[in-house]
Amino acid sequence: MAIKIAGICPLYNVLSAQYPFVEAIITTLPLVDVLFVNDGGSTDGTLQVLQRMAKRWPKIVITRIKQEKSALWESMDHVLMSLINNECQGYDWIIEVQADEYFHPRLYQATLDEIKRAHEGGYNSIRQPIITIYRWSNQDTYVYRNVRIFRNMPNIVSRWGGDCFFFEGLPEYREGFTAHNLPPELDSNVLRHHLKDCFSRDRLLQAKGHAEFLATEHPNRRAMYERMKGCTYLWNVPPKEEIQIHPEVPEIFHGLVGLKDYVVREELFEM
């Protein structure tokens, strides 16, 4: 019997926040049978873009659960848990999708093979490396491992806005950035990709504020931010005449390189 896979993706005003959400969604679709994309009450045109996408790609199903606190992690957690408990019934595995992360097309089959291996082997989640690509450039800031693919089971709790998933009542166990609370985990080497700092270069203060917000909400990130806040590397990158595209960045993102602001490109709807 085929394994049924659902994607879940919480969004709120990601168009104005300069996230490449259209590309993130498109690159996830080959892995899922359905992708539940929630608009939490956007006022910047995000919902209208999603509605266009749902017409173009029937796998996309739009939900509209209100994010009462818009940017706060607990509000995103409420959305994710609602999608898991209500929309994902009947699906075997769940992939959580974030607006600045993607699966590389060349890794689609490897990812599906890992889900099959986990499903047949009795694992409840897949812990995979996430490589961070900094500003579309050829600099890697860090690689860490996280769980964003997991078996659909009762009593799953989201924490930190989908960065961690837990069995309800199980004490938190962390190792670096990663929570290990959906055991047993399949330890995978299939990369997932994170495009760090998708804000345009003239929005550096907004990006810095976003990082500071993350630091106040997450103890590990708070400690990292304290160590790095005096460093100009992250926030004061001098403009380059030509940005070198990291070889890990797939072609669908190349048209965004060098743009001042994120734009929804019409050619994507003609794919």
Side-chain angles (χ1 to χ4, degrees), residues 49 52-53 56-57 264-271:
V49 175
R52 286 189 63 197
M53 295 186 71
R56 169 63 180 83
W57 291 280
V264 177
R265 294 170 291 153
E266 289 299 320
E267 60 263 31
L268 297 180
F269 291 84
E270 300 171 1
M271 294 174 59

Side-chain angles (χ1 to χ4, degrees), residues 14-162:
V14 288
L15 183 59
S16 59
Q18 305 285 292
Y19 282 93
F21 69 104
V22 173
E23 291 81 1
I25 289 173
I26 291 174
T27 56
T28 304
L29 290 175
L31 296 174
V32 300
D33 297 288
V34 63
L35 179 55
F36 297 106
V37 182
N38 187 76
D39 182 84
S42 298
T43 57
D44 66 344
T46 296
L47 175 60
Q48 288 71 28
V49 175
L50 293 177
Q51 289 169 334
R52 286 189 63 197
M53 295 186 71
K55 290 181 180 179
R56 169 63 180 83
W57 291 280
K59 285 186 178 182
I60 298 173
V61 176
I62 299 172
T63 60
R64 301 182 66 179
I65 306 164
K66 182 71 173 177
Q67 282 192 216
E68 297 297 338
K69 296 183 179 180
S70 68
L72 296 182
W73 292 135
E74 57 262 34
S75 183
M76 292 177 63
D77 289 332
H78 166 72
V79 169
L80 287 165
M81 291 166 62
S82 180
L83 293 175
I84 292 170
N85 294 328
N86 298 308
E87 306 299 335
C88 293
Q89 297 300 311
Y91 291 90
D92 302 303
W93 282 76
I94 296 172
I95 298 177
E96 194 252 338
V97 182
Q98 299 195 4
D100 57 355
E101 294 183 358
Y102 65 93
F103 291 91
H104 201 294
R106 70 167 175 262
L107 298 177
Y108 287 154
Q109 189 57 54
T111 301
L112 292 172
D113 289 344
E114 291 289 73
I115 293 174
K116 181 180 179 182
R117 185 159 72 100
H119 185 76
E120 295 176 349
Y123 295 96
N124 287 329
S125 57
I126 297 176
R127 185 165 65 105
Q128 61 185 139
I130 297 181
I131 184 171
T132 294
I133 309 298
Y134 178 72
R135 285 192 184 284
W136 323 103
S137 75
N138 58 0
Q139 303 175 64
D140 297 343
T141 53
Y142 54 83
V143 179
Y144 65 102
R145 305 182 82 81
N146 214 332
V147 171
R148 302 274 170 76
I149 303 176
F150 50 92
R151 190 186 295 270
N152 191 4
M153 300 169 290
N155 303 318
I156 290 180
V157 176
S158 170
R159 195 176 299 175
W160 309 117

Side-chain angles (χ1 to χ4, degrees), residues 5 10 18 50 71 76 157 159 190 198 227 237 244 251 261:
I5 304 171
Q18 305 285 292
L50 293 177
M76 292 177 63
V157 176
R159 195 176 299 175
V190 178
C198 296
R227 292 194 302 269
V237 180
Q244 298 298 317
E251 187 175 352
D261 294 293

